[in-house]
Amino acid sequence: MRIIALSTLKAFWEKYPDYMDAKEPTLAWYRHALLAEWSSPADVKQDFRSASILKDGRVVFNIAGNKYRLVVWINYHYRVVYIRFIGTHAQYDKIDANTI
């Protein structure tokens, strides 16, 4: 899969030093997603059982033992994953993951 954009993930832990513990788990997710062959939400669930499949190609991943949430939009046909949000549970609760 092609992932747009790693810079969003990097900005999260670089801008907020308190969230530096998200760096390695997020990079592990990134490396896994790069090699993934997701052609449907079922493929994502097979790789990440705790992922939440939302409408219109959106998926929520739990990062760092469920401390952080990563929201992506996946275009399965073109094999592209767009990073839409990364943050704590409290930050996640303030957004609408279906529209962000």
Side-chain angles (χ1 to χ4, degrees):
M1 303 296 287
R2 193 171 73 171
I3 302 172
I4 313 264
L6 177 60
S7 60
T8 303
L9 301 177
K10 286 182 180 177
F12 177 67
W13 65 73
E14 289 175 354
K15 185 176 179 182
Y16 305 103
D18 289 347
Y19 304 146
M20 196 58 135
D21 62 334
K23 181 177 179 177
E24 288 308 315
T26 304
L27 287 174
W29 173 89
Y30 179 83
R31 288 188 293 268
H32 185 95
L34 275 178
L35 300 175
E37 297 285 337
W38 299 329
S39 60
S40 70
D43 293 338
V44 175
K45 284 296 276 187
Q46 188 172 18
D47 279 355
F48 293 95
R49 297 212 184 279
S50 65
S52 299
I53 306 298
L54 306 180
K55 64 182 181 177
D56 297 328
R58 303 226 184 231
V59 180
V60 180
F61 295 94
N62 296 317
I63 303 292
N66 208 18
K67 185 173 181 181
Y68 301 100
R69 292 284 178 101
L70 173 64
V71 179
V72 303
W73 177 73
I74 303 174
N75 183 319
Y76 296 100
H77 179 74
Y78 290 103
R79 299 177 28 85
V80 179
V81 177
Y82 296 90
I83 308 283
R84 305 300 297 151
F85 169 86
I86 184 167
T88 64
H89 273 267
Q91 293 164 338
Y92 173 81
D93 288 342
K94 294 178 183 176
I95 65 161
D96 180 356
N98 288 303
T99 60
I100 194 164

